[in-house]
Amino acid sequence: MNLRNVAIIAHVDHGKTTLVDRLLQQSGTFRENQRVAERAMDSNDLERERGITILAKAASVQWKDTRINIVDTPGHADFGGEVERILNMVDGALVLVDAAEGPLPQTKFVVSKALKVGLKPIVVINKVDRPDARPTEVINEVFDLFAALDATDEQLDFPILYGSAKQGWMAESAEGPKEAGMQPLFDLILRHVAPPVVEQGPFRMIGTILEANPYLGRLITGRITSGTIKPNQTIKAIDRDGKLIEQGRISKILAFRGLERTPLDEAEAGDIVAIAGLTKGTVADTFCDPSVEAPLTAQPIDPPTVSMSFIVNNSPLAGTEGDKVTSRMIRDRLLREAEGNVALRVTEADDKDSMEVSGRGELQLAILIETMRREGFELSVSRPRVVLQKDEATGGWMEPVEEVVIDVDEEHSGVVVQKMSERKAEMIEMKPSGGNRLRLVFYAPTRGLIGYQGELLTDTRGTAVMNRLFHGYASYKGEIPGRRNGVLISNEQGEAVAYAMWKLEDRGPMMIEPGWKVYRGMIVGEHTRDNDLEINVLKGKQLTNIRTTSKDEAVRLTPPIRMTLEKALAYIEDDELVEVTPKSIRLRKKLLDPNERKRAEKSKEALAS
């Protein structure tokens, strides 16, 4: 069979999805006059808005007489679970590296996984048209990275191509020629990537991507390891231990042709297909002929490191903006998400109104919350917490530590080092990265990084770039100081009045606008001091019938602090929640009643003493 299966792996923003666009265009997948959206593979609204890939997806192109299945993977470490599963579907990997930035943490993470599985990589140095491109040094960095990750001699002998996905060309030298377009890359894939290895025996396939289709039900995508399969054939799904999950008939087999999926009458071993018809089988399960006993081995997935509580919204404004508000609806939606996303773990908390959701990082959980709010859900979420582990040897606690790479202008490096050391990070490396910039590498506890992104951008005037990657577990590093300012809390329910807000401006910046609905216990601003303060933002101007010579003063308000979802999650403390609805993001205290808050504070102090 003339078939090749390739994954494209790289760090965020190094041009994976743009490269797939060019491959689809130049292979003749699209008609000459066909209008195609930029980054055609990023089909999800959130992916388009943020310019990042969140879900791994497959496409297929025909080059000469060979079909190439291409899998586009996310570049963000929070979605690493997607990449880990994908690698057992493919026989080769294009490692895409930015010609100026060089290999970054996510490149390291994905390449280490790919080398462990035994894939032979092709290195593509992208964006050589950048004015600060340094392709020769980047190649040396990539070689050092491969050697550090214990690549075999065969893997270290990787072929290299240079080019610009945006301009649509690849060549064996950074200068060109540019006329051949993507042809050198297609030819290299055919030469360097081995055809899929087909095992003998009946039908077997491991599930790697799960999605819900409104017409076909559950769709499981994977690569067929052995045998053939036809619609209406009876198959079974077994888990990693070989226990039977279900048996059923296949209703449809879909293969990727370009970006479209076309039904097949028969699929052979080696091809990547999606099957419909089973209702319980999920990711990492083996789908096979009823005669098969042993499951296929699935790649182990790294554990989640950050968890949050998803709580039913019980504020006075609950149910006014969303239509999915009950604990049953929230629970079903989270369990459905955990089925398809192997890096998420969902458990029920002791009280029936909340669920514990653990994932790889704040971004992954923030994307889930944003998706739910767009579907009409209303819920409250707690501050992200790290998932601790017990140290068997000492009996103490261990916490997740991340490798953090910060690229920053030299003038701002001092404040970055100071802030990172306050957050209990230790510096591993400091080296120039060209253009008066430094690359700082730290090992930092995940706890200390929650909420640091915004502070870093403020400290460096928006010039620093931070990349993070889970490194491992280390002994607990002790207390890390949190937010330094207290908050302003509303003591009444109603609509905020401009005059009252104007009079309170010296207390601290507001987070609300006039006319916004507020309630008792809701956070409406940031206090200039370190304690919390209750204020009344509903108090109007006292009007009298006595005329004065002074004109009425015009009320001019300072623009409020705009709270995005990620900013709000990073801002809140342990006794606060973020209330998320389809229309609003509000901050509030967990206990809305001030007397209850005082009692909780006293009991906390008593326990501490």
Side-chain angles (χ1 to χ4, degrees):
M1 178 194 286
N2 282 344
L3 185 63
R4 301 287 187 275
N5 296 322
V6 183
I8 298 185
I9 54 181
H11 188 80
V12 153
D13 250 2
H14 280 197
K16 293 178 298 301
T17 309
T18 307
L19 180 69
V20 177
D21 280 2
R22 297 297 168 268
L23 293 175
L24 288 166
Q25 281 166 4
Q26 297 195 19
S27 64
T29 304
F30 302 141
R31 294 191 316 275
E32 286 291 321
N33 61 349
Q34 186 172 347
R35 278 194 64 198
V36 182
E38 189 186 342
R39 304 196 319 275
M41 294 284 272
D42 284 350
S43 48
N44 167 325
D45 285 348
L46 274 172
E47 291 181 320
R48 291 200 158 283
E49 283 170 29
R50 290 164 184 253
I52 57 173
T53 303
I54 295 168
L55 306 165
K57 302 172 203 66
S60 161
V61 300
Q62 189 80 22
W63 184 253
K64 296 177 179 166
D65 58 348
T66 305
R67 201 167 79 255
I68 303 171
N69 286 325
I70 303 171
V71 186
D72 182 20
T73 60
H76 216 287
D78 283 26
F79 310 109
E82 293 280 323
V83 185
E84 289 165 50
R85 299 184 326 220
I86 294 309
L87 294 176
N88 57 23
M89 286 209 300
V90 295
D91 305 291
L94 297 184
V95 180
L96 208 62
V97 185
D98 188 302
E101 293 179 4
L104 284 168
Q106 183 64 19
T107 323
K108 178 179 173 181
F109 164 74
V110 194
V111 168
S112 71
K113 298 279 180 195
L115 294 176
K116 271 193 197 119
V117 185
L119 297 181
K120 291 201 296 183
I122 294 173
V123 173
V124 178
I125 305 296
N126 191 24
K127 305 191 184 182
V128 292
D129 51 328
R130 281 180 63 159
D132 54 348
R134 45 187 191 97
T136 315
E137 291 113 87
V138 167
I139 281 292
N140 294 335
E141 287 174 20
V142 172
F143 190 85
D144 294 345
L145 171 68
F146 278 39
L149 295 173
D150 299 330
T152 62
D153 291 348
E154 197 182 3
Q155 286 171 329
L156 280 172
D157 189 18
F158 51 81
I160 306 162
L161 280 181
Y162 302 87
S164 161
K166 191 176 172 187
Q167 294 176 356
W169 65 272
M170 288 286 153
E172 288 182 12
S173 129
E175 284 73 48
K178 305 180 182 180
E179 293 73 43
M182 287 288 173
Q183 184 176 343
L185 180 56
F186 281 121
D187 293 341
L188 185 57
I189 291 172
L190 299 196
R191 282 200 311 275
H192 189 72
V193 178
V197 178
V198 174
E199 295 178 16
Q200 296 305 310
F203 167 72
R204 283 179 304 160
M205 174 181 110
I206 200 159
T208 39
I209 305 176
L210 171 77
E211 57 194 298
N213 183 296
Y215 307 108
L216 300 170
R218 283 166 87 96
L219 276 183
I220 301 277
T221 304
R223 180 172 77 166
I224 303 174
T225 308
S226 63
T228 58
I229 185 175
K230 295 178 179 173
N232 285 331
Q233 191 173 324
T234 302
I235 62 164
K236 67 177 182 181
I238 52 178
D239 65 13
R240 288 179 189 182
D241 307 323
K243 287 212 295 285
L244 178 70
I245 297 168
E246 64 170 329
Q247 190 159 323
R249 282 178 185 277
I250 290 180
S251 58
K252 208 156 204 134
I253 303 167
L254 301 170
F256 297 92
R257 298 291 179 264
L259 288 173
E260 305 297 319
R261 291 179 177 172
T262 49
L264 293 185
D265 294 331
E266 184 177 26
E268 299 174 7
D271 204 356
I272 295 175
V273 295
I275 58 173
L278 297 183
T279 55
K280 291 182 188 153
T282 184
V283 168
D285 291 340
T286 301
F287 297 83
C288 53
D289 192 84
S291 61
V292 175
E293 297 293 321
L296 293 163
T297 51
Q299 285 294 314
I301 299 292
D302 286 348
T305 55
V306 175
S307 76
M308 270 174 166
S309 300
F310 282 50
I311 308 160
V312 173
N313 186 14
N314 60 1
S315 86
L317 299 178
T320 56
E321 294 177 2
D323 52 3
K324 299 186 174 87
V325 292
T326 63
S327 58
R328 184 184 59 81
M329 281 175 160
I330 294 169
R331 180 177 167 277
D332 291 350
R333 174 69 181 83
L334 290 172
L335 292 174
R336 202 163 70 239
E337 185 70 27
E339 262 185 3
N341 190 339
V342 286
L344 270 189
R345 200 173 292 156
V346 177
T347 50
E348 242 171 287
D350 300 333
D351 62 331
K352 289 284 173 261
D353 279 351
S354 67
M355 302 284 287
E356 280 293 310
V357 182
S358 310
R360 283 281 177 81
E362 305 127 271
L363 179 66
Q364 186 190 18
L365 297 173
I367 292 281
L368 169 60
I369 297 165
E370 182 63 42
T371 310
M372 287 176 69
R373 107 178 240 228
R374 289 178 183 209
E375 290 169 7
F377 281 89
E378 262 192 35
L379 64 155
S380 296
V381 287
S382 72
R383 177 181 165 82
R385 303 177 296 278
V386 296
V387 179
L388 299 174
Q389 285 186 359
K390 202 84 169 165
D391 185 357
E392 301 294 326
T394 61
W397 287 106
M398 296 174 75
E399 65 174 331
V401 170
E402 299 192 23
E403 180 182 328
V404 184
V405 178
I406 299 178
D407 284 306
V408 62
D409 292 347
E410 277 183 34
E411 59 187 290
H412 300 305
S413 58
V415 68
V416 173
V417 173
Q418 180 201 333
K419 289 283 176 74
M420 287 298 278
S421 61
E422 281 173 14
R423 291 163 181 267
K424 301 281 195 283
E426 59 181 286
M427 191 195 283
I428 304 300
E429 192 183 358
M430 181 181 205
K431 63 177 183 190
S433 61
N436 277 347
R437 280 173 83 78
L438 288 175
R439 178 163 291 180
L440 311 174
V441 183
F442 300 90
Y443 285 157
T446 306
R447 265 184 319 138
L449 295 171
I450 292 173
Y452 180 54
Q453 177 81 39
E455 203 175 309
L456 171 73
L457 291 174
T458 310
D459 291 343
T460 61
R461 304 200 177 155
T463 58
V465 179
M466 176 167 82
N467 292 294
R468 309 159 41 169
L469 174 66
F470 174 66
H471 176 68
Y473 272 83
S475 52
Y476 193 74
K477 298 265 196 293
E479 278 301 308
I480 294 175
R483 191 178 72 210
R484 287 174 182 77
N485 292 49
V487 289
L488 302 174
I489 306 165
S490 170
N491 62 2
E492 290 293 339
Q493 181 165 346
E495 285 187 9
V497 175
Y499 181 77
M501 289 167 65
W502 181 58
K503 285 288 187 193
L504 290 162
E505 277 200 333
D506 56 340
R507 299 290 188 184
M510 290 290 172
M511 294 177 189
I512 58 166
E513 290 184 16
W516 281 21
K517 291 181 175 142
V518 297
Y519 52 82
R520 197 176 179 198
M522 177 172 152
I523 296 170
V524 293
E526 182 175 84
H527 195 193
T528 47
R529 303 196 178 173
D530 60 358
N531 62 318
D532 293 349
L533 180 70
E534 294 208 17
I535 58 170
N536 184 351
V537 289
L538 312 180
K539 200 170 171 186
K541 188 175 182 184
Q542 294 297 316
L543 299 176
T544 67
N545 57 0
I546 299 167
R547 294 195 171 191
T548 61
T549 52
S550 65
K551 292 271 191 299
D552 279 351
E553 295 174 75
V555 174
R556 282 206 184 90
L557 294 177
T558 312
I561 301 171
R562 299 253 173 233
M563 276 293 173
T564 61
L565 181 58
E566 278 99 338
K567 212 165 157 186
L569 291 174
Y571 184 83
I572 58 171
E573 288 293 327
D574 292 334
D575 64 337
E576 295 161 2
L577 297 173
V578 178
E579 180 186 338
V580 181
T581 75
K583 292 181 187 165
S584 320
I585 290 171
R586 303 185 186 97
L587 277 62
R588 52 165 280 194
K589 287 287 181 185
K590 260 185 193 170
L591 302 169
L592 297 177
D593 189 304
N595 297 324
E596 282 183 27
R597 285 202 295 277
K598 278 175 193 151
R599 280 199 292 274
E601 193 62 41
K602 275 180 186 161
S603 60
K604 194 174 165 188
E605 282 169 11
L607 278 172
S609 60

